Amino acid sequence: MKTMKKLGLAALLTGTLLVAGGASAQDHGGGHVPARQSWSFAGPFGTFDTAQLQRGFQVFREVCSNCHSMTKLNFRNLSQPGGPQFSEAQVKALAAEYKVQDGPNEDGKMFERNGRPSDAWPSPYPNAQAARAAIGAAPPDMSLLAKARSYSRGFPMFLVDAVIQYQEHGVDYIYALLNGYSKNDDPTWNDYMPGNHIAMAKPLSDGQVDYTDGSPKTSQQYARDVAAFLMWSAEPHLEQRKKTGFRVMAFLILLSSLLYFTKKKIWANVAH
Ligand code: HEC
C-alpha cells in the first residue's frame, strides 16, 4: 500500500514537471532557439577571460557604441578586478578621449570637459527619440542586455542549467543574433530575433575590428567577444555569485546528510 502511494506521488510529480516544462519550452518568441556556446564563465567555477573581455570592449567601443548606450558602465569599471582589467592609466587616457557635459558652472551654464574615470560611458544619443529620428529605431541600452534577453530552455534542461551548469543564456542569444542575418535578399531578416524582423542592420563583418592579440578578425569571433563583454557588464559579480552559490550548495548537502544520520540514530531503537 505504502509503495503504491509512493509510486502514485512520483508519477504525479513527474507529470507536473513535464507539463510545466512543456509550457516553458517555447520557441523563443518565433525565432530559432539559440545554440549553446561554451563560455569561460559557464559552470559553477566559471570565470571571465580577461583578454576576451578586452577584445569585446574594443568591438563594443568601435562598433556597437555608435548606436547603443551603456548607461550603467563607468570608465573606471574597466579597470576593476574581474573585468577587462585595463590599467588605471589606460582608463584615464581613454576617458580623456571623450567629452562629457558638466555643470552648471558659476554662471549657471552647462559646459563640456574631458572625461574622467568616474564618468559614465557617454551615450551616442541624448534620448530614445533622438536615436529613432537618426537611425529609424531606438537601440536598447546595453548595460543589462545580456540578462534581459535570457530565456528558459524548458524541461528538463532548465534543471541542468540551474543546478549543474549555471549557464547563462542571454549571451548565447546575442551571439546567435549577431550571426543570424541569413538572407542576403532581406537585410532586415534575422533567424533569432523574435518575429524575425530586426531594425538593426548587420553590425559586424570580417576584418572590421583590428585585434592586436592575434585572435581571428572574423565576425564570429567579434560576436563571441562582444557577447562575453556584455555578459560581464550585465553581471560584473557573476564569479562571486557562483562561488557563493557553490558554497551554499555544499553546505546544504552536508547539512542534509547530517540530518539524515541524526534521524537514523534517534529512531534506531524505536519500533516503527
Ligand atoms: C547602426 C546602429 C547600430 C549598431 C552599430 C548596433 N546596433 Fe544593435 N540595435 C540597433 C537598433 C536600432 C536595435 C533595435 C532593433 C529592433 O528593435 O528591431 C538594436 C538591437 C540590438 C539588440 C536587441 C535585439 C532584441 O532582442 O531586441 C542586440 C542584442 C544588439 N542590438 C546588439 C548589438 C551589438 C552587440 C552591436 C555591436 C556589435 C550592435 N548591436 C550594433 C542599432 C545598432
Side-chain angles (χ1 to χ4, degrees):
M1 192 55 211
K2 243 181 168 177
T3 341
M4 284 303 288
K5 238 184 179 168
K6 269 190 192 155
L7 272 176
L9 256 180
L12 197 73
L13 193 69
T14 322
T16 321
L17 280 174
L18 279 174
V19 171
S24 63
Q26 359 102 330
D27 199 3
H28 194 50
H32 293 290
V33 176
R36 302 252 300 188
Q37 305 297 324
S38 70
W39 302 101
S40 66
F41 47 83
F45 305 108
T47 53
F48 286 115
D49 169 349
T50 313
Q52 178 167 58
L53 293 185
Q54 294 198 354
R55 292 193 303 272
F57 169 70
Q58 192 182 353
V59 176
F60 162 73
R61 183 190 176 195
E62 292 180 18
V63 186
C64 323
S65 75
N66 288 312
C67 297
H68 290 266
S69 59
M70 193 182 272
T71 51
K72 299 229 170 358
L73 179 75
N74 289 354
F75 284 103
R76 68 180 146 78
N77 299 137
L78 295 166
S79 61
Q80 280 168 356
Q85 301 195 84
F86 290 109
S87 71
E88 280 179 25
Q90 280 173 313
V91 169
K92 221 172 159 185
L94 175 75
E97 286 180 39
Y98 291 81
K99 290 265 180 267
V100 299
Q101 203 183 47
D102 201 347
N105 62 13
E106 281 168 13
D107 304 326
K109 298 222 168 65
M110 303 303 281
F111 58 94
E112 282 209 327
R113 58 163 174 78
N114 290 344
R116 301 184 194 126
S118 57
D119 287 325
W121 186 262
S123 300
Y125 298 103
N127 49 55
Q129 287 81 345
R132 212 171 286 131
I135 54 174
D141 183 76
M142 282 199 150
S143 314
L144 298 172
L145 205 51
K147 287 194 89 163
R149 294 297 190 271
S150 202
Y151 57 93
S152 166
R153 292 203 296 151
F155 185 82
M157 291 315 284
F158 87 92
L159 278 177
V160 177
D161 294 339
V163 182
I164 305 167
Q165 287 256 326
Y166 289 95
Q167 167 85 3
E168 290 62 36
H169 291 138
V171 67
D172 287 338
Y173 168 67
I174 292 175
Y175 175 77
L177 183 87
L178 292 170
N179 292 306
Y181 294 84
S182 63
K183 292 190 177 172
N184 288 337
D185 56 339
D186 184 357
T188 70
W189 179 270
N190 190 293
D191 288 346
Y192 295 93
M193 183 73 177
N196 288 129
H197 284 281
I198 187 161
M200 167 171 75
K202 184 178 189 297
L204 293 169
S205 50
D206 292 351
Q208 191 177 353
V209 178
D210 203 9
Y211 281 163
T212 51
D213 69 353
S215 299
K217 299 177 193 175
T218 59
S219 50
Q220 262 95 352
Q221 186 68 37
Y222 300 148
R224 183 174 290 282
D225 295 342
V226 80
F229 173 73
L230 293 177
M231 187 68 233
W232 168 75
S233 74
E235 206 181 341
H237 302 296
L238 170 143
E239 293 176 13
Q240 195 51 46
R241 170 173 67 77
K242 288 188 170 182
K243 265 188 216 148
T244 313
F246 188 75
R247 283 193 206 123
V248 170
M249 290 304 272
F251 170 76
L252 285 178
I253 290 169
L254 191 75
L255 185 72
S256 317
S257 47
L258 279 177
L259 283 176
Y260 174 73
F261 287 114
T262 314
K263 178 213 159 242
K264 261 189 113 165
K265 183 129 208 249
I266 291 176
W267 288 87
N269 301 323
V270 182
H272 62 286

